[in-house]
Amino acid sequence: EPEVTQTPSHQVTQMGQEVILRCVPISNHLYFYWYRQILGQKVEFLVSFYNNEISEKSEIFDDQFSVERPDGSNFTLKIRSTKLEDSAMYFCASSWEGTYNSPLHFGNGTRLTVT
Amino acid sequence: QKEVEQNSGPLSVPEGAIASLNCTYSDRGSQSFFWYRQYSGKSPELIMFIYSNGDKEDGRFTAQLNKASQYVSLLIRDSQPSDSATYLCAFSGGSQGNLIFGKGTKLSVKP
């Protein structure tokens, strides 16, 4: 069964450094998402991406965050200057249509640790 | 503020019993509802989704939706120890249908 793949599985960085989290969504999916989950808390929406542009973003997704689909397969999340509170699991997800009609499929996540 | 409320548990049931998980949501206009299972340190795994009032069955799992009461539930029949996980309820809340998740209910199935 096709799946969403994320790399790396674990990223450790120092505060103030830039990080790029990478995702390869399921190949025929059109909608792409980033979510995060701080340890012990709920899964929170960050951003959705469709037709090569951001379609919606949450309050969490401030100017420090950006997303890009640099080629036909990869979808990336960049955090420009990491803060301690950015430490979390970051999940990429994709769907064939928006979630009104099709469910999200999540990748295995990248655990980001900011020291 | 669009929210999902779930009892955090833990809910403990014996092996072979029925586990009942419940969820309420705040957005009366929401159309789509999802149950995900999450093992510790892992990503959410889709179990079921439901769009219409009533019941939807898939193997040992049954989702029940009552839009008038803004209530969705998940029944797990013949619970197995491998079902022990946190169960996340979610609904489509954003303009593009972005999912809003509850905090999850931790289920423990005792052998």
Side-chain angles (χ1 to χ4, degrees), chain A:
Chain A
E1 185 174 321
E3 56 182 31
V4 177
T5 57
Q6 290 186 245
T7 55
S9 57
H10 192 187
Q11 174 87 49
V12 181
T13 189
Q14 289 190 323
M15 196 167 51
Q17 295 297 303
E18 174 183 288
V19 295
I20 298 176
L21 310 182
R22 302 180 190 279
C23 169
V24 179
I26 294 173
S27 62
N28 63 346
H29 283 187
L30 302 178
Y31 292 77
F32 314 118
Y33 307 82
W34 284 100
Y35 284 78
R36 79 171 186 190
Q37 187 175 31
I38 295 170
L39 187 63
Q41 298 189 25
K42 62 183 176 182
V43 177
E44 299 176 291
F45 167 71
L46 293 179
V47 65
S48 58
F49 193 86
Y50 170 71
N51 200 25
N52 284 320
E53 60 182 23
I54 290 174
S55 48
E56 189 165 357
K57 58 184 180 180
S58 71
E59 292 177 353
I60 302 169
F61 193 89
D62 62 21
D63 292 345
Q64 294 298 313
F65 291 89
S66 63
V67 290
E68 194 177 33
R69 187 157 164 83
D71 52 42
S73 60
N74 290 286
F75 180 50
T76 62
L77 174 69
K78 181 193 291 186
I79 309 175
R80 263 180 273 283
S81 178
T82 50
K83 303 188 276 285
L84 293 176
E85 54 265 37
D86 294 328
S87 295
M89 278 289 275
Y90 287 80
F91 295 112
C92 175
S94 68
S95 64
W96 166 239
E97 296 180 272
T99 57
Y100 292 125
N101 298 308
S102 66
L104 297 189
H105 296 266
F106 285 85
N108 287 332
T110 294
R111 180 172 299 283
L112 176 65
T113 302
V114 183
T115 62

Side-chain angles (χ1 to χ4, degrees), chain B residues 32-97:
Chain B
S32 311
F33 305 88
F34 304 84
W35 282 100
Y36 284 83
R37 176 174 63 197
Q38 188 176 33
Y39 294 109
S40 182
K42 302 296 184 183
S43 62
E45 174 191 5
L46 178 70
I47 297 177
M48 292 192 70
F49 55 94
I50 185 167
Y51 301 137
S52 304
N53 273 329
D55 295 359
K56 179 182 178 182
E57 188 174 316
D58 184 0
R60 296 188 295 115
F61 299 96
T62 299
Q64 300 173 316
L65 174 61
N66 184 327
K67 290 186 179 181
S69 301
Q70 296 176 243
Y71 175 91
V72 59
S73 66
L74 180 70
L75 300 178
I76 307 174
R77 289 181 297 282
D78 188 24
S79 295
Q80 301 297 308
S82 57
D83 295 327
S84 298
T86 298
Y87 288 80
L88 309 178
C89 174
F91 71 92
S92 293
S95 61
Q96 297 298 320

